[in-house]
Amino acid sequence: MTDPCASERDGDLVVLGGGPAGLAAAATAAEDGLRVLLLDSTPWLGGPIWRPGPGATPPRVAQRWLARADSAGVTIWPQATAFAACPPDVLHVERGRDVCRVRWKQMILAVGAHELFLPFPGWTLPNVMGAGGLQLLVKSGWPVRGRRVVVAGTGPLLLAVAAYLVRQGAHVSDILEQASWSALAQFASRLAWLAPSKLWQAATLQTRLLRTRYRPGCWPVAAHGADRLDAVTFTDGTRRWTRDCDVLACAFGLVPQLRWPGLLHCRLTPRGVWVDDYQRTSCDRVWAAGEITGLGGVDLALVEGQIAGHAAAGNNLAAARWFARRARLQRFAAQLDRCFQLRTELRFLPTPETVVCRCEDVTWRAIEACSDVRAAKLYTRCGMGSCQGRICQTALQFLQNWSADHVRPPAAPVRVGSLAGADQEHADAERTELP
Amino acid sequence: MSTRASDIRCEIAIVGGGIVGAACAAEFAAEGCRVVVLERGIAAGEATSAGMGHLVVLDDSPAQLALTVYARRLWHALLPQLPADAEVDVCGTLWVAESDEEMALVERKRDVLAGGGVAAEVLAVDELRRAEPQLRAGLAGGLRVPDDAVIYPPTVTRLLLARAADAGAQLRTRVAVRHVEGDGRVHLADGSRVQADLVLNAAGTGAPALSPAAPIRPRKGHLVITDRYPGWVHHQLIELGYLRSTQAAAGESVAFNIQPRRTGQLLIGSSRQFDAETSDVEMRVVAKMVQRAREYLPGVEALSALRIWTGFRAATPDKLPLIGPSPEQPRVWLAAGHEGLGITTCLATARLLRDRWRGHASEIDAAPYLPQRFTAAGGSLA
Ligand SMILES: Cc1cc2nc3c(=O)[nH]c(=O)nc-3n(C[C@H](O)[C@H](O)[C@H](O)COP(=O)(O)OP(=O)(O)OC[C@H]3O[C@@H](n4cnc5c(N)ncnc54)[C@H](O)[C@@H]3O)c2cc1C
Ligand SMILES: Cc1cc2nc3c(=O)[nH]c(=O)nc-3n(C[C@H](O)[C@H](O)[C@H](O)COP(=O)(O)OP(=O)(O)OC[C@H]3O[C@@H](n4cnc5c(N)ncnc54)[C@H](O)[C@@H]3O)c2cc1C
């Protein structure tokens, strides 16, 4: 039998995830002298936020980081999905139709976050989507010009997404912000000294949204339509309105992508992966940076990435220079968290017939009858489908306070052939490519 | 000893809420016995949720054939009553022969099965390709056993427990049994006790912790589940050399064993390992398993794998379960050691135990499964 993992490669430092955090970590560590391999499962670097549309160029800040990574000699593998670590110091990576093992000495996890979807009646109708997903869709050419859009959820992302959609020619009629006026007012009064640049950003956003009603203290309760969306009903807790629309973009927040930390058995906190001052996780020789350590936005991701990169290279002095800035950004993130905390009313949106697990068509009634996430999974198939609970189990953490189920490989779906290992031909090709 | 307020009295205490414990609960409760099921986790949370759910006749030994044939007959009476979430599929088994030598074995296997009253049909090479176009060219033929079936064990376990509850049985989950005394006293981890006329030890790989002499060793297995590909294969497909893999006494082995699920997904198995230290997925073993599958079904490579998991089978030295009185504990009977066949044989296990409790004659000879077979020579069980 052929060696299942014939194609091998060594790297001092492997960085998982090429979003802002991963890019900054990789560039920094390489500048400090490490041999760095950066993996991202998509064809682009920069994560969802810096992802350019077809033909467009990435933003300036992204280009700057890409150039730094490049001149520091970071080896970059796009479209490379790390899916298992077994034995623990060997990463199994799928690259298109190839698969190879990467023996790592140090690792930085920077796999980012994904969107939180909350189920309510009608949320599975076509054209009800995650705001981030919609943004990516529009970037890749999906037409929104002239369409009537309602944006619902919470946080600054709502405004960013709405502004983007308006720029693309959509009619955004309402922005439903579930946080109350008073929470927002409190937040705004602190915003000024915390992050002036963000305040400015928010203000300019507002000016693009003159024809849009911004409605704090409101949230969607049902989406209507036969085979696709034609209206949404929302409430402020007492009154209800129904608005005709073609697209409902939901953004209830992001949640850290915890499959990789789970596979490696990293200790977690309620916010994400636990890290020390130097972004070191509870696992030996593993650091973490960016959204997986707690949501904080792109500025914090960049700072954490640089700290992790320096620390992995043993350059603690340089790492420590970023501590103050990180602390400031974390305070800002904590304010955001508090202000945009999801209200309990959102826990009561699903009706017994609402499908909560879309992959397996499992209703709220079936899930509510279960004692925990594992029981729900075994008896109803909730979370067993192709997204492996990414959507429903994340929602159930909020709806039921259930913790996530035990993580098993692969960390992301891969070809069955990739589990069988590389064949010798590919292995040789791989070796000649090594630096 | 005095009884305490927290103590429960019952006729039958069943330790373990896997499919074997659940089948026993349904059987004894239907007989009018007062039954309590004690499960340390959730129902079907261990081997029962890790297995493939293949209801299959195996002929490794005459006793195994007799038990699986009897069990399959009991299943066929139950299958029509099961709801949709039991994912029943009478897809049959197709045993695949790689070479002409194996083809000779196919003929023999058909005769052995016929002796047990099991219908089976030999497929020549072209018939094999027609039945399963995804199989590679160059295989020798196969044996189709049309009445084998597939279920989804966790929901069936819950259904059996619900039937037991309807007949008055009590199910207690998240209570670990710490210790069982030979006189039927069961000590729970929360300090309470259950006093039973009879204790059924259906604790799977946990059975020896309560009945130390039960010769059971955990045998690890890996499975891979894919995304949905309805109609990609039509039968549960197993290499004819499968029994060789189950017989390997030590070390590890893999065999080609693929199951189409009602959902359109495919389960890819299987591996067997003694002395595995953890339940972690071992990519080395998965690779061997998938390579074996690829030798039969080249197209499997391109399918998308969603999840890999492991489970532990409760293996005995002679590949037969332990069904009947524990030689060391007079009021404790074993319902354990079903290795890779517990889903198939749980109903038969429950029926044999009920018959014995009632003093009825059983439909098949129960002697080959009696735990005392390991003490017959006078030595200790293990
Ligand atoms: C859909 C979406 C839209 C967003 N829109 C905005 C916005 O408009 N404005 C804003 O301020 N913030 C936005 N954010 C938040 C912003 O992306 C983050 O704050 C910031 O990018 C965090 O950087 P990061 O490096 O931690 O994670 P990310 O940027 O998410 O990067 C993680 C990277 O890891 C890769 N990856 C994941 N798993 C694997 C694996 N197993 N193997 C290899 N690679 C892997 C991913 O492909 C991704 O490129 C958005 C986030 C999302 C998810
Ligand atoms: C990979 C794999 C594939 C398989 N494929 C098939 C197949 O296709 N067909 C087939 O027929 N069989 C198959 N099997 C075998 C089958 O899964 C088992 O034989 C069967 O599930 C055993 O059921 P059980 O109830 O005895 O054990 P379990 O399901 O393990 O139940 C035992 C229960 O006892 C509980 N318990 C243990 N100790 C205590 C205690 N001290 N106190 C309280 N509770 C306790 C446990 O929590 C557990 O829930 C497979 C097994 C594996 C691992």
Side-chain angles (χ1 to χ4, degrees), chain A residues 1-4, chain B residues 254 287-289 291-292 295:
Chain A
M1 241 172 243
T2 55
D3 178 359
Chain B
V254 298
K288 282 212 261 177
M289 209 168 81
Q291 284 169 11
R292 191 77 188 140
E295 284 172 32

Side-chain angles (χ1 to χ4, degrees), chain A residues 53-130:
Chain A
T57 46
R60 291 266 291 283
V61 51
Q63 290 181 35
R64 226 164 31 237
W65 279 108
L66 283 167
R68 269 179 74 171
D70 192 49
S71 57
V74 173
T75 306
I76 294 175
W77 287 0
Q79 279 179 292
T81 302
F83 62 91
C86 173
D89 65 337
V90 174
L91 276 185
H92 297 246
V93 181
E94 179 179 77
R95 299 177 71 193
R97 298 177 57 89
D98 292 341
V99 58
C100 58
R101 316 203 292 184
V102 177
R103 201 170 284 280
W104 56 276
K105 298 197 182 83
Q106 302 176 88
M107 180 164 14
I108 296 179
L109 294 176
V111 288
H114 59 257
E115 292 189 88
L116 168 64
F117 292 90
L118 291 184
F120 51 84
W123 77 291
T124 55
L125 280 171
N127 291 355
V128 179
M129 3 191 165

Side-chain angles (χ1 to χ4, degrees), chain A residues 1-5 83-86 92 97 259 265 359-360 369-372 374-375 377-381 384-388 405-410 412-421 423, chain B residues 42-46 49 85 87 152 154-155 158 174 224-228 254 263 265 268 279-284 286-288 290-292 294-295 300-311:
Chain A
M1 241 172 243
T2 55
D3 178 359
C5 308
F83 62 91
C86 173
H92 297 246
R97 298 177 57 89
R259 292 188 61 83
H265 308 295
C359 301
E360 298 292 331
C370 297
S371 59
D372 60 21
R374 210 173 126 64
K377 187 169 165 177
L378 284 188
Y379 309 146
T380 73
R381 301 190 48 84
M384 282 200 185
S386 53
C387 92
Q388 284 290 294
D405 190 36
H406 187 56
V407 184
R408 290 287 207 177
V414 291
R415 298 169 75 244
V416 169
S418 296
L419 305 176
D423 48 45
Chain B
I42 60 173
E46 297 210 1
S49 58
D85 67 3
E87 296 178 34
Y152 177 57
T155 50
R158 282 243 294 184
R174 297 183 197 287
V224 178
I225 188 103
T226 70
D227 210 337
R228 299 182 176 207
V254 298
T263 55
Q265 293 173 291
I268 306 172
S279 60
D280 288 350
V281 168
E282 294 162 77
M283 293 305 291
R284 183 183 53 78
V286 173
K288 282 212 261 177
V290 169
Q291 284 169 11
R292 191 77 188 140
R294 191 167 64 176
E295 284 172 32
V300 78
E301 268 208 331
L303 309 185
S304 178
L306 297 184
R307 190 175 174 91
I308 311 169
W309 67 85
T310 64

Side-chain angles (χ1 to χ4, degrees), chain A residues 15-23 39-51 77 79-83 93 109-115 130-136 139 156-157 160-161 164 198 201 254-255 257 260 289-302 304 411-412:
Chain A
V15 180
L16 282 196
L23 258 179
L39 311 178
D40 197 287
S41 44
T42 69
W44 308 272
L45 289 181
I49 188 171
W50 287 345
R51 185 158 308 158
W77 287 0
Q79 279 179 292
T81 302
F83 62 91
V93 181
L109 294 176
V111 288
H114 59 257
E115 292 189 88
L134 174 62
Q135 213 173 341
L136 294 182
K139 279 186 189 175
L157 210 62
V161 167
Y164 175 79
K198 299 238 172 186
Q201 220 180 8
L254 299 174
V255 273
Q257 181 79 263
W260 261 103
E291 305 286 53
I292 62 167
T293 67
L295 304 172
V298 59
D299 294 344
L300 182 58
L302 286 170
E304 289 184 354

Side-chain angles (χ1 to χ4, degrees), chain B residues 14 17 36 41 78 92 104 140 151 187 216 227 320 330 333 335 342 348 355 373 375:
Chain B
I14 300 173
V36 176
L78 182 62
I151 58 167
H187 298 262
I216 289 176
D227 210 337
L320 292 174
W333 290 5
D355 290 341
R373 68 186 184 273
T375 42

